[in-house]
Each structure stands twice: as C-alpha cells, then as structure tokens.
Amino acid sequence: MRKPLIAGNWKMFKSLDEAGSFAEDFVPRVSDVTDRDILICPPVVYIQALAQACEGSPVMIGAQNVFWEDQGAYTGEISAGMLKSCGADYTLIGHSERRQYFGETDETVNKRLLAALRGGLIPIVCVGETLEEREAGKTFDVVDTQLRGGLAGIGAAEADTIVIAYEPVWAIGTGKTATPQMAQEVHAWIRTVLTGLFGAAAASEMRILYGGSVKGETIDALMAQSDIDGALVGGASLDAASFERILRFKG
Ligand code: PGA
C-alpha cells in the first residue's frame, strides 16, 4: 500500500563531473525498477544537470533544503518554485545537520514545509533524537515535539504526501545503526502520533523512512519491519553500486 522510497542524501559532496559520472553509471543499473521510488538529493547546484541526466529513468531528484518564501529580496536563498523549475520533485526539510549547525527549529521546519507543499514539492521532514536525549529516556518526547511543531497547520488532505524520516542523530555518519527493532519501535510510535494528528487513513498512507548509517548489509532487516517504508541514505548513496544494493533490498 505504501510504495517504498529509497532516498540518497549527498550532503556537500561531489563535483559536477563526479555527479555526472554517477548518473552515467547509476541510471542504467536501475532502469528496470518500478516497485520502489528512487530519489537523489544532490547539492542544489547539480539539480538541473542531474534531473536532465535522469530524465526518462525511475530516478527522481530532490533538494536538501528549501526557503519558506516564494520570491523576494532574500540573498542566497532558493524557493520551492525555483527547485521545481529545475527538475526537483522532493525536498529534505529539517535534517539534523541543519538543526545542529544552521539554527533550524521546529518553527522554521514548519515554514519550509508549508512552502514546499505550496510549490509542489514532496517534503521529507526529518526528526530524531541525540544520544544524550536517548540515554535520558526522552526519545519519544523529542520526536513528538518535532512532529507536532514541524507539521503544525497541516490538514489530513495534504498530510498523505508528506514523508517523515526518522534519523537518530547518534546513528548519522557514525556507523552505528539502530537495530531494526529499535527503529520499528519509534516508527510505529510515529505512526500513532500521525494517526492522532491526521486520522488513521492519512497516517496509513504516510511513508516513514529510517536514516542513519544505512548500508547494503543492514537494509534488508530494516525493510522487513512493518512501519519502515524506506531509507534516507547518506554516505552509502555516494557510490552507485552501494546505493543500488540498498534500493534492491529484499522484501
Ligand atoms: P548516513 O547519513 O547514512 O551517512 O549516516 C544519513 C543522513 O544524514 O541522512
């Protein structure tokens, strides 16, 4: 019922040439894939080139961030409409690195989310606890606050296109993955929160991705969990063969 989504977050890696070489290698590898959605979120300057290189293939392109105004005197910012016009279909919002280094708050996540929907982008809203928060037993509280703040003002009718990515901060780029059971526990609970916010029908349509050191060796067991609908992959999405292995998860 929920089509799996495997999303690559390239963060601030690769030159334009390297992005082009990746597409040349990757697109033929995945041209037969129809039963799962494939997304790459490159640095914003490569969106147009990659969207062209992936045209006619199952590979979709997303941004890593979006500004909350549609246009105006906001030097250095990029709107949802601009991203869409360059070939993006999705955008990440509220990645933990943006929360950690760039002052992202649940309020700005919410503004970006509303702008993404207005501009026709599918938002992937990232949530997750730090190690200190997990050890203090605050995981559910933290994620609950992030969800309620980030999703404020959203109605059931628009909720089902929104994607949530649960990424425990302690698992990002560290090689430490949550066990499939740990991830499933939080995912199931996120769906309960979404059910409370939007009703059971919308919540059952919403995809919840897991992120944090996902690799070819860990993806199958994660995807076997009933509330894990895909993955947000950082490091392992930079290499065509390893990203292909992940999106060809069994199950
Ligand atoms: P990682 O990154 O797979 O390298 O841990 C995941 C992410 O930050 O989205």
Side-chain angles (χ1 to χ4, degrees), residues 7-9 11 92 95-97 126 165 167-169 171-176 210-215 232-237:
N9 172 13
K11 308 191 181 185
L92 304 180
H95 188 279
S96 69
E97 286 152 14
C126 305
E167 298 199 296
V169 177
I172 294 178
T174 58
K176 291 184 198 154
Y210 172 77
S213 300
V214 172
K215 304 264 181 307
L232 181 53
V233 184
S237 72

Side-chain angles (χ1 to χ4, degrees), residues 102-202:
F102 302 100
E104 190 84 79
T105 64
D106 295 332
E107 193 188 354
T108 55
V109 166
N110 184 243
K111 288 164 82 165
R112 294 184 205 279
L113 171 65
L114 297 171
L117 291 171
R118 234 178 16 247
L121 294 177
I122 299 175
I124 302 178
V125 178
C126 305
V127 298
E129 82 286 1
T130 63
L131 185 59
E132 298 74 58
E133 289 163 344
R134 175 162 282 262
E135 286 176 346
K138 290 187 186 152
T139 297
F140 292 145
D141 283 352
V142 167
V143 175
D144 186 80
T145 302
Q146 290 173 338
L147 287 172
R148 285 176 201 282
L151 300 175
I154 297 294
E158 43 196 358
D160 60 359
T161 58
I162 298 172
V163 180
I164 306 294
Y166 169 59
E167 298 199 296
V169 177
W170 49 270
I172 294 178
T174 58
K176 291 184 198 154
T177 320
T179 64
Q181 293 70 27
M182 282 161 84
Q184 166 61 23
E185 186 188 18
V186 181
H187 280 230
W189 178 83
I190 288 173
R191 205 175 303 284
T192 308
V193 175
L194 298 175
T195 302
L197 289 171
F198 306 121

